[in-house]
Amino acid sequence: MRGCRVVVAGAGLAGISAAVEAASRGAQVTLVERRPFLGGKTFSFTEPRTGVEVDNGQHIHLGCCTAYMALLERLGSIHLTAMQPVLRVDVRDRAGMHGVLAAGRLPAPLHLGPSFARYGLLSPAERLRALGALGAIAALGPSGRAALDDVSFGDWLRAHGQRDAAIERFWDVVILPTCNDRSDRVSAALASFVITEGLMRTRHGSAIGWAVTGLSALVDAPARRYLSRRGGVVLTGRAVSAADAAGVTLDDGTMVAADAVVLALPPGRTHHVCPPALPADPGLGESPIVNVHLWYDRPVLDGPVLAVVDSPVQWMFNRTAIMGEAGPGQHVALSLSAARSEMGVPRADLAQTMDSEVRHLLPTARRATLDAWAVTKDASATFAPAPGQARRRPGPCTPVQGVVLAGTWTCTGWPATMEGAVRSGLAAVREIAGQMSGDHA
Ligand SMILES: Cc1cc2nc3c(=O)[nH]c(=O)nc-3n(C[C@H](O)[C@H](O)[C@H](O)COP(=O)(O)OP(=O)(O)OC[C@H]3O[C@@H](n4cnc5c(N)ncnc54)[C@H](O)[C@@H]3O)c2cc1C
């Protein structure tokens, strides 16, 4: 691709990944982003009421997210993340029942076995039945998983002996935060992929990682630096309004000529900008995420992370520990996936409800004072991971030679994640390189 002019529209992780990959192959890259910063759905900002830098939403990656971590390595920002050596998550319910999901010393897929054998949120009979279903998932293989795309994971689990309580108290602990919906609304193909890749394939695949700084520091300046060192151009605050094989037109009428164009935009935007490349919005739908930040005057949560079942809290992150924020108080962030009902609730009411729930769950919180709160909401945080999603997700290749697609919503096999976005960018550049070598042949 040496000397080839590549325009990348959209600087979320998919666009950044494509731009970085194309530049590393010697292309002259122009990356165009509508907003003033790079990072798309992963960014941080100064929360106006507290003056604290918070993320648009708590993001985690897993040990199996190798492409995302490789991107940060390339950008020189991997040191701004941390990862558990192996998975360890405390899980509890409102009644105080407790379990731990932790990888032990046994080789995969047995590494979670010992902690699961003591997982106190399921009865011994439920644990046995869950092991049976885990075995059935392991036996599926890639084509068996793909064949389940029209089935909901909830239905598949019930057909494999799982009752509602087990779905809520074990399966959704994993599926809700990774797929951004509950098993009943998630494609069994996607969910079984997540269980296989995240929980079972390797001992380290399920370890949880996070940024130890605001998310913007991971990609914004590092990607600009990486591209400018390789002769790339980054245009921010400029939207692409049209694209074809000859290049893109910006919203002020400027034309940027190109030999290849990567559209790394949300699906509706992609269709709008280049209808021949995506003749219709694929209609994947959206799933929201809400985060509630609570600042207490003292520590309330031990450990960096806690998963909660049968409670609106879902997952709780100790931001003070994760970010190395100064004490003596503690900043916790509650990440609420598939937060359809919470989207319409006024922020102050949400903060109050979550504060009461935290006090119910954590005895140490009962005497604490809530010093401040903040709420972030994103109605279109991810595409809906519903049954039938796979056939709605196109690959990178389009009917327009030289115009390719990227984005977490394209056909990566992953749910809407940072990993899926990065992989889609790499696949888009592989497609361009393939088209070019075809041209030369
Ligand atoms: C609150 C929240 C929490 C999440 N938690 C996790 C998590 O824990 N783990 C995880 O892996 N994933 C998580 N995700 C999902 C993850 O952030 C996304 O899947 C991923 O970042 C999407 O990247 P993308 O590049 O495909 O799309 P986007 O980030 O949406 O990028 C598209 C870009 O295109 C730009 N754009 C749009 N129109 C134009 C135009 N006309 N011209 C130029 N630019 C344009 C947009 O401004 C944007 O920057 C979360 C998402 C949210 C919102």
Side-chain angles (χ1 to χ4, degrees):
M1 292 175 69
R2 192 150 301 281
C4 158
R5 296 163 305 167
V6 175
V7 173
V8 180
L13 288 173
I16 292 172
S17 160
V20 163
E21 175 67 11
S24 77
R25 292 176 182 232
Q28 288 167 24
V29 173
T30 304
L31 176 61
V32 187
E33 167 56 45
R34 182 174 58 93
R35 295 201 281 187
F37 56 86
L38 313 187
K41 293 277 186 199
T42 62
F43 68 95
S44 43
F45 62 99
T46 303
E47 202 284 313
R49 282 153 21 107
T50 55
V52 177
E53 187 181 12
V54 299
D55 294 336
N56 66 313
Q58 175 69 46
H59 277 65
I60 60 163
H61 56 285
L62 300 181
C64 59
C65 296
T66 51
Y68 172 66
M69 291 188 283
L71 174 67
L72 298 186
E73 287 275 6
R74 262 178 160 179
L75 296 180
S77 56
I78 190 78
H79 66 287
L80 300 177
T81 66
M83 179 167 277
Q84 300 175 323
V86 289
L87 173 72
R88 184 187 165 93
V89 182
D90 290 328
V91 189
R92 54 168 301 163
D93 68 5
R94 296 194 85 239
M97 301 291 282
H98 184 256
V100 178
L101 291 175
R105 291 179 190 283
L106 291 174
L110 305 175
H111 54 296
L112 294 174
S115 77
F116 191 66
R118 295 189 299 273
Y119 186 68
L121 293 167
L122 299 184
S123 68
E126 286 170 328
R127 273 175 246 159
L128 261 184
R129 283 197 294 270
L131 279 178
L134 283 167
I137 291 171
L140 282 171
S143 57
R145 290 197 300 267
L148 295 175
D149 190 47
D150 285 321
V151 180
S152 89
F153 192 47
D155 285 349
W156 187 92
L157 287 172
R158 285 187 194 88
H160 288 77
Q162 308 305 295
R163 302 201 179 132
D164 288 355
I167 293 176
E168 177 169 7
R169 295 165 75 79
F170 169 60
W171 297 97
D172 276 352
V173 172
V174 181
I175 296 305
L176 186 56
T178 51
C179 293
N180 196 22
D181 220 328
R182 293 195 179 271
S183 293
D184 277 328
R185 299 172 62 105
V186 174
S187 145
L190 214 46
S192 57
F193 169 81
V194 165
I195 298 283
T196 307
E197 193 66 23
L199 279 192
M200 295 198 289
R201 202 167 65 76
T202 68
R203 258 187 89 236
H204 298 280
S206 48
I208 301 178
W210 41 65
V212 299
T213 175
L215 281 172
S216 286
L218 265 57
V219 289
D220 188 352
R224 290 176 195 266
R225 215 166 25 239
Y226 185 98
L227 293 172
S228 79
R229 282 187 187 146
R230 285 157 184 82
V233 174
V234 176
L235 303 175
T236 44
R238 314 285 292 278
V240 169
S241 55
D244 60 26
V248 302
T249 307
L250 306 185
D251 49 0
D252 62 1
T254 310
M255 311 264 296
V256 185
D259 302 307
V261 174
V262 180
L263 298 177
L265 307 169
R269 279 279 102 203
T270 307
H271 166 66
H272 181 79
V273 158
C274 187
L278 188 68
D281 184 327
L284 278 157
E286 297 171 339
S287 191
I289 297 180
V290 167
N291 274 206
V292 179
H293 294 262
L294 303 171
W295 282 269
Y296 289 103
D297 67 343
R298 65 194 74 186
V300 298
L301 176 64
D302 293 332
V305 58
L306 174 70
V308 187
V309 302
D310 76 11
S311 157
V313 162
Q314 299 187 12
W315 280 68
M316 214 170 154
F317 294 88
N318 177 348
R319 297 281 295 175
T320 304
I322 287 173
M323 312 273 288
E325 288 174 1
Q330 193 179 64
H331 170 192
V332 294
L334 317 185
S335 179
L336 317 181
S337 298
R340 285 177 286 275
S341 56
E342 287 86 353
M343 282 303 292
V345 178
R347 286 177 158 76
D349 295 357
L350 259 182
Q352 194 182 30
T353 307
M354 293 301 157
D355 173 41
S356 327
E357 192 63 15
V358 169
R359 289 172 195 278
H360 175 88
L361 292 164
L362 305 175
T364 41
R366 287 177 202 151
R367 283 190 303 278
T369 301
L370 181 66
D371 288 333
W373 57 268
V375 173
T376 60
K377 297 182 180 184
D378 189 334
S380 59
T382 70
F383 65 80
Q389 50 83 39
R391 85 175 85 86
R392 296 197 171 92
R393 298 170 69 184
C397 180
T398 75
V400 185
Q401 169 87 4
V403 176
V404 300
L405 305 182
T408 194
W409 59 277
T410 59
C411 184
T412 65
W414 287 70
T417 50
M418 301 188 286
E419 177 72 8
V422 172
R423 284 178 183 243
S424 76
L426 298 174
V429 173
R430 275 197 303 272
E431 174 62 30
I432 295 174
Q435 290 185 9
M436 288 183 165
S437 61
D439 283 350
H440 293 152

